Amino acid sequence: MRVAFDTSVTETDPGGISRYVTELLAAFARQPNGIDLVPISMSAEWPWTRNLERHLRVLAHDQRWVGKGQVSACRRVEAEIVHGSAFKVAAVADPATSMTIHDDTPWDDPPTASLYNRVNLRRTLRRAAPLVRGALVSTDTTANAILRHLPELNDRIHVTPFGINHEAFRPVPEHLVERMRRAHGILGPYILMVGPYGPRKNFPAMVQAISRIQDPPQGLTIVVTGRPAKATPMPVPVIHTGFVGDEELAALYSGAEFLFYASLNEGFGFPVLEAMACECAVLTSSGTVLEELAGESALLAVPSDVEALTAACETLLRN
C-alpha cells in the first residue's frame, strides 16, 4: 500500500508533532512492512508558499492545501490513501483518507490555542470525521476526549501509543554530561523542564513549587530547554539552553535531579518517556494523559496544587 503522508507540520512547528512525523517516517524506512509512506507537503508542492509570512502560510495551508492540495499531491504520487499527520485531512471519499488526532486542543478548556486555530480545527475535523477510514490517537485518555465530540469515529478510532528513539535516548556517560554542563554554565544540581512555556504547561506553578522547597541542595537551578519566554523575574535561578539536539537533550536528562513536567493537559508527552529512557526520575501530573503514560514509573501530583508539587519535589530531591 502506498500512503501519501503529509509532513507540512514540520515546516512550521518544531514541537512534539513534528517529532512524531519525522520519527515515524524514519521507523518505516528502517523496517519495511509492505506500506510505502511517501512524504508530501505544501511547500514541496507549492514552492511559492515558502516566501509568505507565517500567518499567510497558515491560511494557505488551512484554506487551500488541506483539501485540494493534499488530494492533488496524493494522486500525483499514485497513493491509495492520504494521511493527515496533524489533525487535518481532506474531507473526501476519494482518495481514501486517515489522520492522526494528537489531543483535544479544539475543545479543551481553558483554551490552549488561538480562537482561529480552535475554530478551524473543529471545522476540519467535523467535515473529515464521517469520511475518514481511520483516526489514530496515542492514548485511551485522548480517544475518550475525542469521542465526546466526534462520536461518529467510535468504530474507526485506533489507540496507537507513540514510541521514542532508544538509540538517541539512553543513559549518557558522566564525562559527556559534564561537557554538557560546562557548555551551559550549569555548576550544581538542577531540575530539568522541557518546553515548559504555554497556557497548559503550568510553568508558574512549577517554579512556585520549587521556590518553596525546604533546604534545597546548594546551588539548585532550573534548566529550561526549548522555545524561550519573555524575560521575567524568577524566584530561583533559571538557565535557558534554547532548542537542543537529541544527543544534548539525553545528556541533560541523564544529569538532572529529575524532569519536572506537570502540565495541566497534554496530548501525549514525549519528554516523560525520553527522561525514563535516560534513567531520569520524573515528576508529572496526575489526572491527565501523563498519568496514563507514566503508569507507576513516575511520581505524580495534582498540577494545580502547588503544595503537592513542592512535596513531590522534596521527595525526589531526598531520594
Side-chain angles (χ1 to χ4, degrees):
M1 175 182 288
R2 172 166 285 197
V3 178
F5 190 78
D6 189 358
T7 65
S8 299
V9 66
T10 61
E11 298 162 0
T12 56
D13 180 7
I17 296 179
S18 291
R19 177 172 289 277
Y20 160 76
V21 170
T22 56
E23 292 289 355
L24 186 58
L25 286 171
F28 269 81
R30 290 193 300 268
Q31 301 177 1
N33 55 12
I35 297 177
D36 182 17
L37 288 190
V38 182
I40 61 171
S41 70
M42 183 177 74
S43 68
E45 297 293 322
W46 299 344
W48 56 269
T49 61
R50 299 172 187 171
N51 299 322
L52 297 175
E53 294 184 11
R54 188 178 185 280
H55 72 283
L56 293 176
R57 286 204 314 275
V58 170
L59 285 174
H61 176 274
D62 293 346
Q63 305 304 322
R64 300 293 294 175
W65 170 253
V66 177
K68 292 184 178 180
Q70 283 181 340
V71 170
S72 175
C74 179
R75 289 174 175 157
R76 182 184 62 77
V77 300
E78 300 181 341
E80 300 167 62
I81 188 169
V82 57
H83 184 82
S85 62
F87 295 94
K88 302 169 186 177
V89 75
V92 296
D94 182 22
T97 61
S98 61
M99 61 182 169
T100 301
I101 304 175
H102 292 267
D103 53 40
D104 63 343
T105 292
W107 298 278
D108 63 357
D109 186 26
T112 56
S114 68
L115 178 61
Y116 167 79
N117 280 334
R118 285 160 58 85
V119 170
N120 181 67
L121 284 173
R122 290 177 191 175
R123 182 185 64 180
T124 303
L125 287 168
R126 285 172 176 155
R127 287 177 174 175
L131 298 169
V132 294
R133 302 294 179 88
L136 307 181
V137 296
S138 58
T139 63
D140 288 315
T141 303
T142 300
N144 290 332
I146 295 303
L147 287 174
R148 284 196 292 271
H149 302 284
L150 300 173
E152 61 268 41
L153 288 177
N154 184 54
D155 60 346
R156 288 172 289 131
I157 197 164
H158 306 279
V159 178
T160 58
F162 298 157
I164 60 169
N165 183 351
H166 286 274
E167 293 182 3
F169 295 103
R170 61 189 190 279
V172 172
E174 184 61 29
H175 72 280
L176 296 179
V177 174
E178 286 303 313
R179 185 171 71 182
M180 175 276 302
R181 284 177 174 272
R182 290 194 299 270
H184 295 289
I186 304 171
L187 302 179
Y190 64 92
I191 296 170
L192 181 63
M193 296 184 187
V194 175
Y197 300 124
R200 68 184 179 188
K201 296 296 186 178
N202 208 27
F203 181 71
M206 291 192 290
V207 170
Q208 190 177 2
I210 293 172
S211 70
R212 295 183 180 184
I213 293 172
Q214 297 294 315
D215 300 319
Q218 186 174 2
L220 182 66
T221 302
I222 299 172
V223 174
V224 173
T225 72
R227 184 181 292 109
K230 294 180 181 179
T232 56
M234 292 290 179
V236 291
V238 178
I239 294 174
H240 291 87
T241 68
F243 289 103
V244 297
D246 288 350
E247 181 178 346
E248 193 167 5
L249 183 55
L252 286 166
Y253 285 131
S254 296
E257 298 296 306
F258 60 91
L259 170 71
F260 201 176
Y261 200 76
S263 302
L264 297 171
N265 186 29
E266 286 287 347
F268 189 67
F270 284 109
V272 169
L273 293 185
E274 293 168 354
M276 290 178 177
C278 296
E279 298 184 359
C280 173
V282 174
L283 170 53
T284 193
S285 307
S286 62
T288 71
V289 70
L290 297 168
E291 182 171 359
E292 178 184 343
L293 186 65
E296 298 180 355
S297 300
L299 191 58
L300 302 172
V302 176
S304 59
D305 187 338
V306 174
E307 291 185 3
L309 293 175
T310 299
C313 287
E314 291 173 344
T315 296
L316 285 176
L317 291 173
R318 287 195 304 267
N319 182 358

